[in-house]
Amino acid sequence: MKIISFSHQKKSRWGVVNGGVVLPLNSSQYPTLLSALQAEKLQGIAASANNATSIPLDQVEFLPVIPEPGKIFCVGHNYEEHRVETGRDPTRFPLLFMRVGESQAGHQQPILMPAESTQLDYEGEIAVVIGKAGRRIAEADAWNYVAGYSAYNDGSVRDWQKHTLQFTAGKNFTGTGAFGPWMVTRDEIADGEELTLETRLNGQVMQRTTTAAMIFSIPVLIEYISTFTSLQPGDVIVTGTPGGVGAKRVPPVWMKPGDKVEVEVGKVGVLVNSIAADATRF
């Protein structure tokens, strides 16, 4: 199944995508995809989609797949080509940092270029959504904790990322990342199946790889992360970007207002976003 979070008539909802329509699954008990995952009721609730009144996809506003995850873990330098282009030393353990929910945009929504920077970079990635709670999960059992997969653009404000050795500031400007268009449930993709990942900027291919090139596989990441913290339903692991980021091109390639960026994950779909200037003040 393809499952989305969306807004329709100014109301946040979620549902199953079926061709060009979405079948809403909201209920008072499970008003969000996150609440259904937390109750471990996703499959049962989704089975009721056939009885739902459909809404054309072109009439909804896509939200991030999980708009407010409890935790978003991002993996740095998880493809050898990217590790080499950044000049980072090899490591025995995954490099991790966190994003906050506010830093995400949905499919077809603008990624926001901060007024404080001109160095907004793309990072196409594969996102894993956790389906059930676990702590100290063994690598051999890890697939059983996966709810599904999505595309992710881990947009990076590079000059702010370089302010210190920590990535937090450059990875968490409001609306600089994107998550979508939907979650494809685990049963649609064989455990460990090789998936393609491609990023395009204004139609030009900037990144292309497959999951076979990951340094740390999805089960290894789940085992490692769940060792130091509990993984909860709806938590997200963003598994790393391949080589070809804009910052390491000569000359550098930065995204700018009016650009269109696409992240395509095989068997999942294409996450599409425009770039827009953000000068929001409250």
Side-chain angles (χ1 to χ4, degrees), residues 172-189:
N172 282 285
F173 271 81
T174 299
T176 49
F179 184 14
W182 41 63
M183 180 183 77
V184 172
T185 52
R186 176 191 169 204
D187 59 310
E188 297 287 330
I189 297 172

Side-chain angles (χ1 to χ4, degrees), residues 227-277:
T227 301
F228 66 83
T229 190
S230 62
L231 285 172
Q232 297 293 330
D235 285 351
V236 181
I237 300 175
V238 187
T239 57
T241 201
V245 296
K248 297 304 176 181
R249 292 177 176 269
V250 182
V253 175
W254 307 118
M255 297 191 293
K256 59 188 185 301
D259 283 350
K260 175 183 176 182
V261 61
E262 302 166 278
V263 177
E264 181 169 4
V265 177
K267 291 203 165 184
V268 174
V270 186
L271 169 65
V272 182
N273 299 92
S274 60
I275 311 300

